[in-house]
């Protein structure tokens, strides 16, 4: 097996120069770098990742924490992961998905391990013990999401308030005045005061109050069966509602199935708009759902930029970025029925 000394001899440079090329600890000329890299390729040299990390004082690994024990993965979450991994690679880092429980103790164990350079948190609660644990440590971190008071924290997030306002406006332009908002009231299991749900439901309540509209909040757990059960009894339970905003990606296909089973026609009897969702889920329904696309790709990339900037330039300004969802028309929206 080739050693650094073999590479240095083959490239006619010092061992220190080979180390500089491998670990990027000091600049070398382009010609020298090419000679060293060519020598490594010819000799089949493989670097020692642990030694390289020790030399540079960094592992170039970011942990993306998703509480998979408390919340199922869904299509939109997958887009966050893939775009974040792609952006990390572009910037010379590796991103690992860390499906840890939403507990401060696991955060402390991870950051003490020395395996990672930074932490990117998802599924943030209004009062999140993980954030407090990270505040008290030395590991850089950033959030995809927001706590109740995010001042002083680096974060990127969906603008849930603006998204809900736009959803209501879209429905009102079609003549609807009585709107239901379907969501998981209790939030993902054990994720108490989940920021996304708290902000969106509050925005819905406030928007209706300010607009003089009527509406109702409908609880539905995050799974297709729960959506189907709500859909089967929806018209009987809420006969005055003519439109639905559903913020529950895992339940929305089941909800549409339940409506069809109950004899409700979409959009003739009831219009449905899915928010914070994806084309993958919208096309599972018949008719296909109008939806507001979650900016998962954009926020995944911005989240990675935020944490890498904390690692490489800790004195740079903290990002406070909000991105609303994008409206995508579909056949599940129609004019309000005459009553």
């Amino acid at each position: 097996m080739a050693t650094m000394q073999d590479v240095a001899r083959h490239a006619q440079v010092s061992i220190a120069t080979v180390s500089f090329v491998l670990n990027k600890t000091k600049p070398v000329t382009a010609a020298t770098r090419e000679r060293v890299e060519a020598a490594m390729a010819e000799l089949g040299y493989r670097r020692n990742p642990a030694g390289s990390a020790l030399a540079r004082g960094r592992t170039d690994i970011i942990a993306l924490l998703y509480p998979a024990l408390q919340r199922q993965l869904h299509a939109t979450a997958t887009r966050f992961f893939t775009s974040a991994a792609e952006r990390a690679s572009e910037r010379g880092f590796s991103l690992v998905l860390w499906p840890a429980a939403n507990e401060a103790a696991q955060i402390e164990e991870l950051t003490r391990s020395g395996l990672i350079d930074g932490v990117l948190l998802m599924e943030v609660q209004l009062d999140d013990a993980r954030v407090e644990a990270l505040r008290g440590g030395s590991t850089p971190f950033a959030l995809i999401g927001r706590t109740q008071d995010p001042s002083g924290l680096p974060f990127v997030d969906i603008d849930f308030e603006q998204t809900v306002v736009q959803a209501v406006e879209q429905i009102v332009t079609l003549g609807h005045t009585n709107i239901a908002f379907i969501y998981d009231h209790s939030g993902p299991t054990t994720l108490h005061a989940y920021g996304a749900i708290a902000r969106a439901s509050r925005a819905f309540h406030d928007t209706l109050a300010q607009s003089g509209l009527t509406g109702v909040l409908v609880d539905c757990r995050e799974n297709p069966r729960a959506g189907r059960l709500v859909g089967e009894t929806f018209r009987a339970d809420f006969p005055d509602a003519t439109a639905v905003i559903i913020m529950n990606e895992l339940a929305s296909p089941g909800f549409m199935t339940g409506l069809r089973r109950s004899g409700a026609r979409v959009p003739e009897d009831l219009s449905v708009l899915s928010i914070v969702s994806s084309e993958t889920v919208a096309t599972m329904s018949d008719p296909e759902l109008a939806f507001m696309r979650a900016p998962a790709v954009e926020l995944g990339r911005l989240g990675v930029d935020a944490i890498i900037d904390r690692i490489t330039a800790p004195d740079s300004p903290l990002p406070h970025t909000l991105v609303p969802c994008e409206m995508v028309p579909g056949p599940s929206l129609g004019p309000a029925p005459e009553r």
Side-chain angles (χ1 to χ4, degrees):
M1 180 180 293
T3 66
M4 284 180 62
Q5 188 172 12
D6 296 330
V7 172
R9 186 181 302 113
H10 194 75
Q12 298 183 338
V13 297
S14 68
I15 293 178
T17 299
V18 176
S19 176
F20 298 156
V21 171
L22 287 170
N23 302 315
K24 302 178 182 178
T25 49
K26 287 187 178 180
V28 298
T29 66
T32 299
R33 178 177 296 279
E34 289 175 6
R35 269 209 329 275
V36 171
E37 290 176 345
M40 288 191 292
E42 290 175 24
L43 297 175
Y45 176 79
R46 297 290 181 271
R47 70 165 62 191
N48 181 334
S52 177
L54 182 63
R56 290 181 291 110
R58 278 207 335 237
T59 64
D60 288 344
I61 297 174
I62 301 164
L64 175 59
L65 269 62
Y66 186 92
L69 298 178
Q70 286 85 16
R71 192 174 195 202
Q72 295 182 59
L73 297 177
H74 48 86
T76 295
T78 300
R79 282 180 166 78
F80 275 104
F81 304 154
T82 54
S83 67
E86 180 181 53
R87 181 56 175 163
S89 178
E90 291 172 358
R91 296 195 60 176
F93 281 72
S94 296
L95 182 138
V96 295
L97 175 61
W98 203 279
N102 194 41
E103 298 171 358
Q106 291 205 17
I107 289 284
E108 293 166 354
E109 181 180 347
L110 173 62
T111 54
R112 286 198 304 265
S113 69
L115 297 173
I116 60 168
D117 289 337
V119 171
L120 185 57
L121 287 184
M122 286 186 67
E123 309 302 326
V124 179
Q125 300 168 85
L126 295 180
D127 297 300
D128 200 307
R130 301 174 301 169
V131 174
E132 294 310 309
L134 286 165
R135 278 183 186 269
S138 59
T139 301
F141 69 96
L143 315 179
I144 299 179
R146 287 170 284 163
T147 58
Q148 181 71 47
D149 178 12
S151 57
L153 293 173
F155 72 84
V156 301
D157 197 9
I158 295 173
D159 190 335
F160 292 100
E161 294 85 352
Q162 183 61 27
T163 295
V164 170
V165 168
Q166 291 176 356
V168 171
E169 289 176 348
Q170 179 71 33
I171 287 173
V172 169
T173 60
L174 295 170
H176 300 276
T177 58
N178 193 304
I179 307 167
F181 185 84
I182 299 178
Y183 69 122
D184 188 346
H185 173 72
S186 56
T189 307
T190 75
L191 289 186
H192 304 295
Y194 176 42
I197 288 174
R199 288 188 167 87
S201 58
R202 183 169 61 242
F204 178 77
H205 177 274
D206 293 346
T207 301
L208 261 60
Q210 295 165 9
S211 305
L213 303 169
T214 55
V216 61
L217 295 168
V218 180
D219 188 19
C220 178
R221 299 300 306 189
E222 280 195 308
N223 62 76
R225 183 174 184 273
R228 186 175 68 252
L229 293 175
V230 170
E232 288 174 348
T233 63
F234 184 86
R235 294 293 288 157
D237 293 340
F238 309 102
D240 295 330
T242 63
V244 168
I245 297 172
I246 181 167
M247 182 175 148
N248 192 327
E249 191 169 52
L250 292 172
S252 58
F255 176 70
M256 295 292 283
T257 298
L259 288 176
R260 188 169 61 251
R261 287 184 177 182
S262 73
R265 299 170 302 162
V266 176
E268 292 83 0
D269 301 322
L270 188 72
S271 285
V272 182
L273 173 60
S274 177
I275 67 171
V276 195
S277 190
S278 64
E279 185 175 6
T280 298
V281 174
T283 55
M284 290 180 182
S285 299
D286 184 19
E288 292 185 5
L289 284 166
F291 70 103
M292 296 189 72
R293 181 186 289 114
V297 172
E298 183 175 1
L299 288 179
R301 296 176 68 84
L302 288 172
V304 165
D305 283 340
I307 182 56
I308 292 179
D309 288 348
R310 304 318 306 150
I311 295 168
T312 60
D315 295 329
S316 60
L318 296 178
H320 290 171
T321 306
L322 296 178
V323 183
C325 294
E326 174 192 5
M327 181 67 199
V328 180
S332 66
L333 279 183
E338 294 184 6
R339 293 293 177 89

